[in-house]
Amino acid sequence: QKEVEQNSGPLSVPEGAIASLNCTYSDRVSQSFFWYRQYSGKSPELIMSIYSNGDKEDGRFTAQLNKASQYVSLLIRDSQPSDSATYLCAPRGTGRRALTFGSGTRLQVQP
Amino acid sequence: DTGVSQDPRHKITKRGQNVTFRCDPISEHNRLYWYRQTLGQGPEFLTYFQNEAQLEKSRLLSDRFSAERPKGSFSTLEIQRTEQGDSAMYLCASSLDVDGYTFGSGTRLTVV
């Protein structure tokens, strides 16, 4: 089992729709979770962090965490073509100082 | 502060040669990380420094790889006797304690 699992996609949504990106992780004691956006040919960029169960909203982005289910998701409301990128999920396990990245979900927003 | 800086941006080398990459983190960040990324994959952890101490190294990292962070400032990653399988984007990131990372633009290595 991979430490972090993400559907590779592509996930295609029309402009203005909600994009839902999912991630499961194997380390039951992971304490903090990060979402990164990576445009083609560019390096990853931090967009959200979440530490507690529930939802965290920042602009058009909402991160959702369910530690019991070892599941974290990212919702993007009012999706724009500029949101087309690969989204990487990265939990940090207890006792680990480095993040473990999933392979990412490629999102395509159709104009 | 201009963010995390990596040099060079691109490196083409012949198989068997040694290469060295440099990373300058954000000045107030105490943690520095090296990752490697290949096409279609997420970044793969290589090693991590807190200040000048190398605290974690991936089990996947062969003895041909070595990293340093003298004086807790910039870091270098050296690959000895490069192989074609080393071709990848090498990413450096820095953070303040357990905050999320800021990545540099990366060094793209091509081994021919």
Side-chain angles (χ1 to χ4, degrees):
Chain A
Q1 181 187 8
K2 288 185 178 180
E3 290 186 66
V4 184
E5 300 222 33
Q6 296 183 258
N7 188 321
S8 61
L11 172 66
S12 185
V13 299
E15 184 175 355
I18 296 175
S20 177
L21 305 161
N22 304 317
C23 171
T24 57
Y25 57 94
S26 62
D27 185 347
R28 188 172 294 276
V29 295
S30 291
Q31 293 297 312
S32 51
F33 304 84
F34 301 85
W35 281 98
Y36 285 79
R37 177 177 61 200
Q38 186 171 28
Y39 292 113
S40 181
K42 302 294 186 182
S43 58
E45 172 193 13
L46 178 65
I47 54 172
M48 286 288 286
S49 60
I50 186 166
Y51 303 93
S52 304
N53 279 331
D55 295 358
K56 178 182 177 182
E57 186 174 319
D58 184 0
R60 295 186 297 112
F61 298 100
T62 298
Q64 299 176 318
L65 175 60
N66 183 326
K67 291 184 179 180
S69 300
Q70 295 174 237
Y71 175 90
V72 58
S73 65
L74 180 69
L75 301 178
I76 306 175
R77 289 182 300 281
D78 188 24
S79 295
Q80 301 297 309
S82 58
D83 294 327
S84 297
T86 296
Y87 289 81
L88 300 163
C89 170
R92 175 183 279 125
T94 299
R96 290 291 311 280
R97 298 173 180 88
L99 300 180
T100 301
F101 286 84
S103 56
T105 297
R106 187 157 63 96
L107 173 66
Q108 294 178 338
V109 181
Q110 306 296 331
Chain B
D1 197 340
T2 56
V4 179
S5 177
Q6 291 189 246
D7 184 70
R9 292 293 302 275
H10 304 275
K11 178 71 177 179
I12 300 174
T13 190
K14 292 184 178 180
R15 187 160 49 99
Q17 297 295 304
N18 299 343
V19 293
T20 300
F21 309 141
R22 177 179 171 123
C23 172
D24 288 88
I26 292 173
S27 56
E28 61 266 27
H29 285 182
N30 58 344
R31 299 187 177 192
L32 186 148
Y33 310 82
W34 285 99
Y35 282 77
R36 176 174 64 188
Q37 187 175 27
T38 54
L39 194 63
Q41 300 299 312
E44 176 187 27
F45 172 71
L46 295 178
T47 191
Y48 149 74
F49 290 86
Q50 180 159 316
N51 301 313
E52 67 275 10
Q54 186 175 19
L55 296 185
E56 192 172 350
K57 188 174 176 180
S58 169
R59 292 189 299 273
L60 301 175
L61 210 60
S62 77
D63 292 341
R64 297 185 297 106
F65 288 72
S66 63
E68 295 182 340
R69 191 184 182 196
K71 303 177 183 178
S73 56
F74 71 92
S75 176
T76 58
L77 177 69
E78 181 183 18
I79 309 174
Q80 297 181 328
R81 304 181 303 281
T82 52
E83 302 172 357
Q84 287 192 319
D86 297 331
S87 295
M89 175 73 82
Y90 288 82
L91 294 165
C92 175
S94 69
S95 72
L96 181 63
D97 296 323
V98 295
D99 290 350
Y101 302 168
T102 300
F103 279 93
S105 298
T107 294
R108 181 167 297 283
L109 173 66
T110 302
V111 181
V112 297

